[in-house]
């Protein structure tokens, strides 16, 4: 699962760090791989997982890889942040990683254009692996930028709706809503207040709440963000205005920004047992497939269900889709062991048993078509909801950008300003967003 929800400060710091790679990276676009993959060698693999069960799962896969490749030993370094990965890729040296995994799919554009990660096409071609048919097409798409593939998907994340079945039954709601108009009505019906204070929110729509970011909403509305020339297009995309208008109205209908923000800042941590959905303080939650396992581990006092997140009324035919993200895997361009590193990348990302066992262990969605069809894949109904969402043909990730995910952060910040009521002219706000994004992208090169 993702280690933390996106925040402007963290993500912008990561983007700025990657930006330095354009001029400081020691690798080059055509750097060759000359090492013998059958020679005895040691690879350094950096990953971001830190929970004991997750670390144990990746270590088990690495052990199986080493058994199949007795000449290759893998030094595993856990809990590595994107910021540290960026510094290592920029600096090079013998202490740096050969293979890296990252939770930040938004940075693929930066990784590829800066040559921080090696071009994987020669390796894939030699192995006769077609990313478009090997990986889930939507995940294959978000792991390349502008025709260059410097990463492959390791595991995926799909976003959908969790709901409190007991609260639904109490309110006489028989099924999760499919249309956003129905969803808004359900959210209001499930909200409870006492003396003007919110005791339970049907749903927290704030852009500052857990996982309710512009890109997670945006996939349901079909937002494109950028035009074919890479220019920001939010002022001209009616889906963006529809999203902002719907979100603001629901926020106001549920009590307004001040009241909801007071509620938001008083609830438990997103990754702890006191998450507001776990405690019953929120009846519906937009979240990823990992939440089901976390909720089960928290031993909730009520039954929960999962379903795709609703879509705009006019797009009900597309119900079932959701936002996709996940872990990406690549080879450091300054590694002197690229051929051996490819053996590890190939195993972790395309070996069906490896992908399925890892997905089952950490409750993520497999990224290969074969793994998704495997009879060994977890059959838990909650989990399977997200497996289905991942395979919906219109599930999507935000487009890659030369400036990483900065364009999403900019729109998110304008969204917060709009929900706070600081900016009331939505058309003017979106024009400001486009101007800022285009300026930032131009500076990023």
């Amino acid at each position: 699962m993702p280690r933390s929800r996106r925040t402007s400060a963290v993500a912008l710091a990561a983007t700025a760090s990657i930006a330095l790679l354009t001029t400081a990276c020691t690798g080059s676009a055509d750097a060759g791989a000359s090492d013998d993959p059958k020679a005895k060698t040691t690879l350094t693999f950096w990953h971001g997982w830190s929970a004991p069960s997750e670390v144990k799962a990746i270590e088990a896969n690495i052990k199986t890889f080493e058994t199949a490749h007795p000449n290759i030993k893998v030094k595993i370094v856990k809990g590595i942040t994107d910021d540290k990965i960026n510094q290592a890729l920029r600096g090079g040296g013998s202490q740096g990683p050969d293979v890296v995994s990252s939770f930040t799919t938004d940075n693929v554009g930066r990784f590829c254009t800066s040559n921080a990660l090696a071009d994987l096409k020669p390796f894939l071609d030699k192995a006769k692996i077609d990313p478009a048919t090997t990986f889930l097409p939507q995940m294959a798409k978000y792991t390349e930028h502008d025709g260059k593939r410097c990463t492959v998907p390791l595991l995926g994340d799909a976003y959908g709706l969790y709901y409190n079945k007991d609260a639904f039954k109490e309110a006489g709601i028989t099924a999760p809503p499919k249309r956003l108009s129905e969803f808004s009505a359900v959210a209001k019906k499930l909200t409870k207040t006492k003396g003007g204070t919110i005791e339970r929110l049907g749903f927290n729509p704030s852009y500052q709440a857990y996982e309710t970011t512009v890109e997670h909403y945006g996939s349901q509305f079909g937002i494109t963000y950028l035009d074919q020339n890479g220019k920001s297009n939010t002022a001209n995309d009616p889906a963006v205005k529809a999203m902002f208008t719907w979100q603001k109205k629901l926020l106001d209908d549920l009590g307004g920004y001040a009241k909801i923000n007071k509620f938001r800042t008083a609830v438990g941590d997103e990754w702890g047992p006191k998450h507001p959905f776990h405690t019953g303080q929120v009846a519906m939650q937009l979240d990823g497939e990992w939440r089901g396992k976390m909720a089960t581990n928290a031993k909730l006092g009520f039954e929960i269900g999962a379903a795709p997140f609703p879509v705009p009324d006019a797009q009900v035919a597309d119900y079932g889709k959701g936002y996709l993200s996940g872990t990406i895997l690549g080879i450091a361009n300054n590694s002197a062991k690229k051929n051996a590193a490819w053996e590890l990348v190939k195993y972790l990302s395309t070996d069906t048993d490896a992908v399925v066992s890892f997905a089952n262990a950490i409750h993520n969605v497999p990224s290969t078509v074969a793994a998704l069809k495997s009879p060994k894949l977890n059959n838990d109904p909650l989990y399977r909801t997200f497996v289905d969402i991942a395979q919906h043909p219109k599930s999507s990730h935000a487009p890659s950008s030369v400036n990483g995910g900065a364009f999403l952060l900019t729109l998110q910040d304008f969204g917060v300003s709009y929900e706070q009521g600081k900016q009331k002219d939505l058309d003017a706000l979106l024009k400001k967003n486009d101007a800022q994004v285009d300026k930032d992208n131009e500076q990023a090169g």
Side-chain angles (χ1 to χ4, degrees):
M1 67 183 180
R3 294 275 61 80
S4 64
R5 180 182 172 274
R6 180 202 319 282
T7 61
S8 296
V10 173
L12 282 176
T15 299
S17 180
I18 297 174
L20 295 175
L21 292 166
T22 303
T23 55
C25 181
T26 58
S28 62
D30 59 354
S34 58
D35 62 302
D36 180 0
K38 295 183 179 181
K40 286 189 176 294
T41 190
T42 298
L43 297 175
T44 300
F45 172 45
W46 283 10
H47 69 76
W49 290 285
S50 57
S53 60
E54 296 169 337
V55 172
K56 182 180 179 181
I58 192 66
E59 287 178 348
N61 267 6
I62 295 297
K63 185 176 181 179
T64 303
F65 168 79
E66 289 178 330
T67 299
H69 299 77
N71 62 300
I72 302 176
K73 298 300 179 185
V74 182
K75 177 184 176 183
I76 307 173
V77 184
K78 65 180 181 180
I80 297 294
T81 64
D82 264 31
D83 189 52
K84 189 163 185 178
I85 288 174
N86 299 333
Q87 292 175 26
L89 295 179
R90 185 169 68 247
S94 60
Q95 299 303 311
D98 298 293
V99 177
V100 298
S101 68
S102 167
F103 300 131
T104 313
T105 49
D106 292 337
N107 280 336
V108 169
R110 270 294 183 190
F111 282 135
C112 289
T113 56
S114 66
N115 300 318
L117 296 179
D119 185 356
L120 297 181
K121 187 177 186 303
F123 300 99
L124 289 159
D125 288 348
K126 186 175 181 179
K128 296 182 179 180
I129 296 173
D130 180 1
T133 57
T134 300
F135 302 112
L136 194 64
Q138 301 92 315
M139 295 183 187
K141 184 177 179 180
Y142 71 57
T143 46
E144 66 177 357
H145 172 74
D146 200 21
K148 182 177 180 180
R149 175 168 297 285
C150 67
T151 68
V152 289
L154 179 48
L155 291 180
D157 293 315
Y159 287 79
L161 178 70
Y162 287 95
Y163 59 98
N164 183 326
K165 284 189 172 183
D166 288 12
F168 267 46
K169 185 176 181 180
E170 178 188 298
I173 303 166
T174 58
K178 296 181 178 180
R179 296 173 173 85
L180 283 176
S181 62
E182 298 169 344
F183 177 77
S184 294
V186 168
K188 286 182 276 188
K189 191 171 185 178
L190 291 171
T191 298
K192 291 183 176 182
T193 60
K194 184 176 182 179
T197 299
I198 297 173
E199 289 191 326
R200 182 182 73 194
L201 262 182
F203 176 75
N204 191 342
S206 172
Y207 291 123
Q208 298 178 88
Y210 299 143
E211 303 298 345
T212 47
T213 59
V214 293
E215 67 266 37
H216 295 168
Y217 283 144
S219 64
Q220 306 310 101
F221 283 83
I223 293 174
T224 57
Y225 301 99
L226 309 173
D227 65 19
Q228 59 184 6
N229 298 315
K231 296 288 187 179
S232 186
N233 194 45
T234 59
N236 298 317
D237 186 351
V240 180
K241 191 170 184 178
M243 179 187 74
F244 270 65
T245 301
W246 166 79
Q247 184 269 353
K248 181 69 162 64
K249 185 177 188 308
L250 180 56
L251 186 86
D252 291 343
D253 287 347
L254 293 176
Y257 176 79
K259 185 178 290 188
I260 287 181
N261 195 53
K262 181 179 179 181
F263 173 89
R264 179 186 69 83
T265 56
V267 300
D269 177 73
E270 180 174 10
W271 306 112
K274 299 298 183 182
H275 184 290
F277 181 69
H278 294 179
T279 61
Q281 293 169 284
V282 170
M284 296 187 291
Q285 179 69 45
L286 171 59
D287 219 327
E289 73 287 335
W290 60 85
R291 180 58 54 192
K293 188 172 189 294
M294 294 183 74
T296 299
N297 291 343
K299 301 186 186 307
L300 309 187
F302 51 88
E303 188 178 359
I304 66 173
F309 197 81
V311 294
D313 290 32
Q315 299 180 41
V316 70
D318 295 336
Y319 176 73
K321 67 180 180 178
Y323 188 77
L324 298 182
S325 186
T327 306
I328 55 176
L329 195 63
I331 298 172
N333 212 4
N334 49 32
S335 170
K337 309 169 185 176
K338 291 189 182 69
N339 284 322
W342 165 247
E343 294 299 321
L344 178 59
V345 169
K346 180 174 65 172
Y347 172 79
L348 291 176
S349 64
T350 67
D351 184 274
T352 299
D353 284 344
V355 173
V356 170
S357 65
F358 196 30
N360 285 342
I362 72 171
H363 216 69
N364 277 186
V365 175
S367 47
T368 69
V369 174
L372 286 162
K373 295 178 179 178
S374 172
K376 298 178 182 178
L377 187 62
N378 186 343
N379 204 34
D380 171 64
L382 285 175
Y383 173 75
R384 283 290 179 165
T385 297
F386 295 87
V387 170
D388 290 342
I389 292 170
Q391 295 179 85
H392 192 285
K394 290 197 175 180
S395 289
S396 62
H397 184 274
S400 64
S401 166
V402 68
N403 203 19
F407 72 100
L408 295 170
L409 293 172
T410 300
L411 185 60
Q412 174 93 357
D413 289 341
F414 276 116
V416 172
S417 179
Y418 187 66
E419 74 176 14
Q420 290 174 333
K422 292 181 178 179
Q423 298 195 51
K424 301 182 184 299
D425 187 333
L426 183 53
D427 291 322
L429 180 150
L430 295 177
K431 288 179 181 178
K432 288 181 183 178
N433 176 74
D434 288 343
Q436 185 63 53
V437 169
D438 288 344
K439 179 182 177 182
D440 293 342
N441 285 351
E442 184 178 352
Q443 291 178 343

